[in-house]
Amino acid sequence: MLRSCAVPDTTTSQRMAADFRRLRHLDPLSQFMAIDFVLGMSDCLLVKVDIATMAFGLEARCPFLDHRIVEWASGVKRTSLLPGHTTKPVLRELARRYLPNDVVAAPKRGFEIPLTKWMLG
């Protein structure tokens, strides 16, 4: 298992090299996804969620990080994850069952704050 916490006395490059060595049995896409998951979640996205919610005394949940969903998603065929130029194909296919098409077809957006709206209003 990969850990995002830096080990004392190791550089980022040493840590990443060790992570890649532990993942060498995986195909390149799986290696990339594992590293992205560990680094992207703990060192970036979850930090932003934590800061934004704590600033307003809110509690946030990240339902897609439930271990059952993560374990299921790790078994999805790679060809289903990369069907062409569609972003989030598995999630969009599931959403089609429950949500209006304009929500399903909406473009992918990052974790943003409405800075322009705040400055103008």
Side-chain angles (χ1 to χ4, degrees), residues 106-119:
K108 184 175 172 180
R109 291 186 294 269
F111 185 78
E112 303 167 353
I113 59 170
L115 186 60
T116 302
K117 183 178 177 181
W118 291 347
M119 298 304 283

Side-chain angles (χ1 to χ4, degrees), residues 15 17 22 27 32 42 45-46 53 55-56 58 62 64 67-68 70 77 79 83-84 94-95 98 101 113 118:
R15 184 177 128 219
R22 283 193 294 278
D27 62 275
F32 174 80
S42 63
L45 296 175
L46 293 177
T53 56
F56 294 95
L58 299 173
C62 300
F64 291 140
H67 72 93
R68 293 165 293 201
V70 172
K77 291 181 184 177
T79 54
L94 178 63
Y98 305 101
N101 192 52
I113 59 170
W118 291 347

Side-chain angles (χ1 to χ4, degrees), residues 47-63:
V47 172
K48 289 179 180 180
V49 169
D50 194 42
I51 291 169
T53 56
M54 286 193 318
F56 294 95
L58 299 173
E59 182 71 27
R61 297 285 185 255
C62 300

